[in-house]
Amino acid sequence: MNNPQRRKTRAIGVGKLVLGQGNPIRVQSMTSTKTSDIAATCKQIKRLVNAGCEIVRVAVPDLKALKALPGIKKYCPVPLVADIHFQAAYAIAAVAVGVDKIRINPGNIGGLERFKAVIRCCKNKGVAMRIGVNSGSVEKELLEKHSGPTPKAMVESAVHYLSICESLRYNQLVVSIKATHVMDAVSANRDLSEKMDYPIHLGITEAGGKYYGSIKSATGLGALLVDGIGDTIRVSLTGDPVNEIPVAYDILKATGARIVSPEIISCPTCGRLQYNMEKAAAEIEKMVRHIKKPLRIAVMGCVVNGPGEAREADIALAGGKGAALLFIRGKKIKQVGEKEMVREVVRIVEEW
Ligand code: SF4
């Protein structure tokens, strides 16, 4: 299910996937292992992919990491991105060994000529490049012009780098402007999406730990996704990157940007509740999470709001005393007892 308001962007191939032009918004992450440790990195990639990660990025900070890329690429079941700072030679070598995309920050790659060498290499090999701009890398002149690394300065910087790529007739580009302040990230990406039509990679950088980082990412990415902006997302959380994946999918689900598994709508409960709704809702959520069907399931405490929500949902339970009324597509089907309601809803989802 896609947001009908989604901004039109160009289609850019990244390995076997295509970003932009209405294609599903892809969920990506980055490994936290030493890239030079091929076994540990591949093990983490396997866990990420099992969790639903669709594009994996690895850091290439040194020669050992660069040398590990062919071994990782051979194993990696999803498109592999090499993240490179400071070393244009590493970017060129990573492209040569067959990574599917490189992520560079042109502001720290060693000057214009080296940036151009990387562009030519990507162009010759037909490999995509993400231009990642952040507040720390904005050029001196733009910092002076905008009195600091403001959203406008970051957008101008990104657009400038895109124009250099275009001057060399290279356009397999994805762009990201990341800021740690939500307002800056939202404002910069809104502005950027007005100024160009390359796919946008969204993220709130250094968002924080699992709880606050998820909330911060949801507010920033959520605002942009409801505007129809964003073609791939990364939720950055301190700790195991596997934790990022369900958060990313839930942000996509909550904004209606991409719904791949059932959405559970449940009330907060109140004094009218007469059955163990919390348990029922939690069990249903757990049991249907892996089912790839974009359904809305409402689990409501009582008949005050139950029938109303049932009309909006594909499947709904409106609670009563130790039981609930079961609705399918807004139509009342039957009453189900507390003991069988979870099993019954899961069965309907499986058969849907
Ligand atoms: S649906 Fe019923 S139980 Fe749930 S919060 Fe509303 S009134 Fe209370």
Side-chain angles (χ1 to χ4, degrees):
M1 191 186 293
N2 282 326
N3 178 352
Q5 307 299 325
R6 190 140 163 231
R7 304 280 171 106
K8 278 267 170 301
T9 48
R10 302 181 193 204
I12 302 296
V14 178
K16 62 184 179 185
L17 295 180
V18 178
L19 295 181
Q21 210 173 59
N23 283 290
I25 300 166
R26 298 297 178 184
V27 170
Q28 58 174 288
S29 184
M30 187 170 183
T31 52
S32 58
T33 50
K34 289 272 176 247
T35 306
S36 51
D37 186 342
I38 300 178
T41 303
C42 288
K43 201 171 154 198
Q44 195 174 63
I45 288 175
K46 187 175 181 191
R47 292 176 57 239
L48 281 165
V49 172
N50 285 345
C53 182
E54 297 170 299
I55 299 173
V56 170
R57 182 161 46 117
V58 295
V60 186
D62 51 34
L63 208 54
K64 275 188 188 163
L66 185 65
K67 285 189 176 155
L69 286 178
I72 296 168
K73 171 66 188 156
K74 208 163 123 191
Y75 164 80
C76 190
V78 296
L80 181 68
V81 183
D83 188 273
I84 293 150
H85 291 275
F86 314 120
Q87 294 277 4
Y90 287 4
I92 291 168
V95 171
V97 302
V99 297
D100 300 295
K101 185 172 78 170
I102 57 164
R103 182 267 162 157
I104 63 164
N105 183 336
N108 69 23
I109 207 70
L112 181 61
E113 287 317 309
R114 287 196 176 128
F115 178 38
K116 284 184 172 175
V118 176
I119 296 170
R120 286 193 195 98
C121 171
C122 287
K123 186 183 169 189
N124 289 341
K125 289 271 182 185
V127 169
M129 176 195 293
R130 168 156 70 96
I131 291 183
V133 169
N134 57 45
S135 53
S137 69
V138 177
E139 304 92 303
K140 216 166 136 239
E141 313 84 75
L142 292 177
L143 290 176
E144 278 163 20
K145 180 178 167 189
H146 295 278
S147 309
T150 60
K152 283 206 176 326
M154 290 191 282
V155 172
E156 196 171 330
S157 175
V159 170
H160 169 63
Y161 293 133
L162 292 174
S163 72
I164 294 171
C165 294
E166 286 167 347
S167 73
L168 295 177
R169 298 184 192 287
Y170 172 70
N171 52 20
Q172 273 176 273
L173 296 157
V174 177
V175 193
S176 67
I177 296 186
K178 294 194 184 179
T180 191
H181 296 296
V182 167
M183 289 280 278
D184 287 350
V186 171
S187 148
N189 280 285
R190 280 182 180 150
D191 191 17
L192 180 69
S193 80
E194 297 288 327
K195 293 194 161 65
M196 53 105 235
D197 64 352
Y198 292 104
I200 296 184
H201 165 122
L202 294 183
I204 300 295
T205 196
E206 295 127 23
K210 201 171 165 187
Y211 181 75
Y212 186 66
S214 300
I215 289 175
K216 201 168 172 182
S217 297
T219 53
L221 304 193
L224 291 161
L225 289 166
V226 295
D227 278 356
I229 298 168
D231 299 283
T232 176
I233 67 169
R234 194 252 168 130
V235 169
S236 304
L237 300 179
T238 306
D240 186 347
V242 175
N243 292 330
E244 299 172 1
I245 308 302
V247 177
Y249 278 103
D250 279 350
I251 293 172
L252 292 173
K253 188 187 284 184
T255 52
R258 183 180 172 201
I259 302 175
V260 293
S261 62
E263 178 178 32
I264 309 296
I265 295 150
S266 58
C267 77
T269 79
C270 71
R272 294 182 186 87
L273 190 71
Q274 295 184 81
Y275 76 107
N276 193 343
M277 194 212 94
E278 195 180 336
K279 184 165 171 264
E283 283 181 3
I284 291 169
E285 181 154 28
K286 198 169 151 210
M287 291 171 81
V288 302
R289 195 168 248 282
H290 68 284
I291 301 176
K292 301 263 176 278
K293 293 175 185 172
L295 299 173
R296 285 207 161 87
I297 303 169
V299 184
M300 304 298 290
C302 74
V303 291
V304 171
N305 292 324
E309 284 296 342
R311 273 193 291 278
E312 306 288 325
D314 297 298
I315 304 161
L317 290 172
K321 193 169 180 197
L325 289 174
L326 172 73
F327 296 80
I328 296 182
R329 291 197 181 96
K331 197 166 159 243
K332 198 193 300 173
I333 303 294
K334 61 178 177 180
Q335 180 165 310
V336 280
E338 199 162 351
K339 285 208 176 85
E340 72 254 19
M341 60 177 67
V342 172
R343 207 173 41 234
E344 186 68 2
V345 169
V346 174
R347 184 189 64 76
I348 295 166
V349 173
E350 282 168 348
E351 287 173 7
W352 197 273

